[in-house]
Amino acid sequence: AQSVTQLGSHVSVSEGALVLLRCNYSSSVPPYLFWYVQYPNQGLQLLLKYTTGATLVKGINGFEAEFKKSETSFHLTKPSAHMSDAAEYFCAVIPSGGSYIPTFGRGTSLIVHP
Amino acid sequence: EPEVTQTPSHQVTQMGQEVILRCVPISNHLYFYWYRQILGQKVEFLVSFYNNEISEKSEIFDDQFSVERPDGSNFTLKIRSTKLEDSAMYFCASMSEVGTDTQYFGPGTRLTVL
């Protein structure tokens, strides 16, 4: 069965600092990978996704993620955090060639200090 | 930009009552989904719907739940007899086609069962 692990339920950074949110998955074949952001009292918004091709994926708001097959990881990064980045971030995977139902991680709350 | 909308944003109900959560997916999308997120937990898949029938459902989606697309635009989730543990945020999502495409989420309905 597919599973997604997000290390750290909370990540705290200073404004301007590097953001690193970790996501590891378990899958027998490379899946499709997604990062969603959820701002307070809002729905899930797609940040970026990996399906095929280049393993470094750039998304909205300056975020990017790199698919590393050998590490079964899809960590989300941003070089410089902004106060507006404070939100809940969810990693999700969809098994390629199968059901298109995503499995979500438990989420990581990003806290940005001034 | 087209978006998925949901009404109401917040629903409070008494245990045992029926509730209907409404969603208007993006107009040219063909696949529809309901998810729920219990406070502090991860997003969980409930059901997917295509061509006027359920295509997949999770263990959570028991006989108390039903979905309907009554008029070609709305997509509803009905809970026949609510329980305290049904309290959660319910998200609707839609997707244009199966493949590498993305599910677009609505802002959610917060259901509180008293």
Side-chain angles (χ1 to χ4, degrees):
Chain A
Q2 199 88 335
S3 70
V4 181
T5 302
Q6 289 185 240
L7 284 177
S9 59
H10 294 82
V11 170
S12 182
V13 300
S14 298
E15 192 173 19
L18 171 72
V19 175
L20 170 61
L21 305 182
R22 299 178 186 275
C23 174
N24 288 87
Y25 66 90
S26 67
S27 175
S28 57
V29 295
Y32 301 139
L33 298 153
F34 302 78
W35 275 100
Y36 285 89
V37 59
Q38 184 183 27
Y39 297 105
N41 301 314
Q42 295 186 29
L44 299 170
Q45 180 182 0
L46 181 70
L47 268 181
L48 49 78
K49 64 180 179 181
Y50 168 81
T51 53
T52 59
T55 55
L56 181 63
V57 180
K58 294 186 186 299
I60 61 171
N61 301 338
F63 284 92
E64 62 182 37
E66 185 171 11
F67 168 55
K68 292 187 176 180
K69 182 179 176 182
S70 61
E71 299 177 7
T72 60
S73 70
F74 191 57
H75 301 331
L76 181 71
T77 61
K78 182 174 180 177
S80 177
H82 193 273
M83 296 296 290
S84 61
D85 293 327
E88 191 83 12
Y89 291 80
F90 292 92
C91 181
V93 301
I94 292 177
S96 56
S99 161
Y100 286 90
I101 306 301
T103 298
F104 286 88
R106 291 194 172 273
T108 298
S109 179
L110 177 64
I111 302 161
V112 183
H113 298 288
Chain B
E1 183 176 336
E3 59 183 18
V4 177
T5 59
Q6 290 184 243
T7 55
S9 58
H10 193 184
Q11 173 93 44
V12 181
T13 190
Q14 295 291 324
M15 189 171 55
Q17 294 297 304
E18 174 185 285
V19 294
I20 298 176
L21 309 183
R22 291 183 167 79
C23 168
V24 179
I26 294 173
S27 62
N28 63 342
H29 284 190
L30 302 176
Y31 297 83
F32 313 110
Y33 307 83
W34 283 101
Y35 296 83
R36 80 170 185 191
Q37 183 185 26
I38 295 172
L39 187 63
Q41 298 187 26
K42 63 181 179 180
V43 177
E44 301 172 290
F45 166 73
L46 291 178
V47 65
S48 61
F49 192 86
Y50 170 71
N51 199 26
N52 286 320
E53 61 182 26
I54 291 173
S55 44
E56 282 191 70
K57 59 182 181 179
S58 71
E59 292 177 353
I60 302 168
F61 194 87
D62 61 22
D63 292 343
Q64 292 299 311
F65 291 88
S66 62
V67 289
E68 197 175 39
R69 189 159 159 79
D71 56 12
S73 62
N74 290 284
F75 179 50
T76 62
L77 174 69
K78 182 192 291 185
I79 308 175
R80 290 190 182 83
S81 178
T82 51
K83 304 185 287 289
L84 295 177
E85 53 265 37
D86 293 327
S87 295
M89 182 73 92
Y90 288 81
F91 293 106
C92 173
S94 69
M95 183 168 73
S96 61
E97 61 185 38
V98 169
T100 60
D101 208 351
T102 304
Q103 294 183 25
Y104 292 86
F105 285 78
T109 293
R110 180 167 297 285
L111 176 64
T112 302
V113 183
L114 302 176

